[in-house]
């Protein structure tokens, strides 16, 4: 199962840099530059992880996070915040799973994505399937009828 990572930032170079690093790490990045586009892509592509930039225009990153969570309950969201914005968003809105101050160390972001992706794989691997029905040989077919036994 391929992990799709939504990257929403209005800054093209920044988004392409993150996309390239995520692609090299083995994930499928989906780069968008607007809130409307992000909402559509996240739902259509069934994203597992979203990276949202504080620079998104109104109605803003908090609105987008709430909107995405209303449609994809198990979506993990990383919020990339401006340095002077640190702490303010966390107190107001707990819709983000992690806040990364900008500038940040790219391997830190990849470590978070790897952790979240491994959680998804583990959840998928732990799904229990019902056992196959027992095959009863013809000579023991009478066991199928409980009333005769």
């Amino acid at each position: 199962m391929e992990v799709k990572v939504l990257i929403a930032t209005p800054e093209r170079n920044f988004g392409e840099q993150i996309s390239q690093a995520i692609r090299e790490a083995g994930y499928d990045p989906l780069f968008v530059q607007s809130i409307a586009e992000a909402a559509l892509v996240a739902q259509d592509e069934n994203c597992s992880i979203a990276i949202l930039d504080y620079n998104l225009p109104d109605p803003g990153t908090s609105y987008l996070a709430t909107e995405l969570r209303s449609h994809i309950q198990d979506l993990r969201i990383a919020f990339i915040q401006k340095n002077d914005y640190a702490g303010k968003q966390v107190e107001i809105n707990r819709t983000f799973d992690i806040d990364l101050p900008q500038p940040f160390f790219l391997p830190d972001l990849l470590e978070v994505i790897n952790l979240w992706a491994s959680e998804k794989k583990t959840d998928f691997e732990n799904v229990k399937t019902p056992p196959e029905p027992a095959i009863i040989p013809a000579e023991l077919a009478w066991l199928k009828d409980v009333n005769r036994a």
Side-chain angles (χ1 to χ4, degrees):
M1 183 166 80
E2 191 172 66
V3 176
K4 295 185 179 183
V5 181
L6 175 71
I7 301 147
T9 178
E11 299 174 24
R12 184 177 237 8
N13 291 337
F14 182 59
E16 288 175 351
Q17 181 183 13
I18 293 174
S19 294
Q20 180 180 356
I22 290 171
R23 187 176 300 105
E24 289 172 0
Y27 304 109
D28 184 14
L30 304 165
F31 172 50
V32 297
Q33 292 184 280
S34 72
I35 289 179
E37 194 179 8
L40 288 173
V41 168
Q43 291 175 33
D44 290 347
E45 297 291 335
N46 195 22
C47 293
S48 303
I49 299 169
I51 301 168
L52 308 180
D53 188 357
Y54 73 95
N55 274 332
L56 286 168
D58 285 339
T61 309
S62 294
Y63 169 81
L64 177 58
T66 304
E67 184 70 19
L68 293 175
R69 281 266 164 84
S70 71
H71 297 287
I72 309 169
Q73 282 76 26
D74 61 345
L75 179 71
R76 302 303 296 262
I77 301 175
F79 174 61
I80 299 173
Q81 59 187 342
K82 191 174 181 179
N83 249 349
D84 62 348
Y85 198 57
K88 294 178 186 172
Q89 189 67 27
V90 177
E91 294 168 11
I92 297 168
N93 191 339
R94 298 297 300 163
T95 57
F96 307 112
D97 293 304
I98 190 167
D99 298 309
L100 293 171
Q102 192 176 13
F104 60 91
F105 192 47
L106 196 52
D108 290 344
L109 176 61
L110 294 175
E111 184 178 334
V112 168
I113 291 170
N114 288 332
L115 175 68
W116 288 345
S118 68
E119 288 174 359
K120 295 281 183 194
K121 288 178 184 173
T122 302
D123 291 345
F124 181 72
E125 290 168 359
N126 288 336
V127 173
K128 295 184 179 181
T129 56
E132 292 292 323
I135 298 173
I136 300 174
E139 62 269 8
L140 299 176
W142 60 271
L143 287 175
K144 289 183 182 178
D145 187 359
V146 179
N147 293 330
R148 287 184 44 194

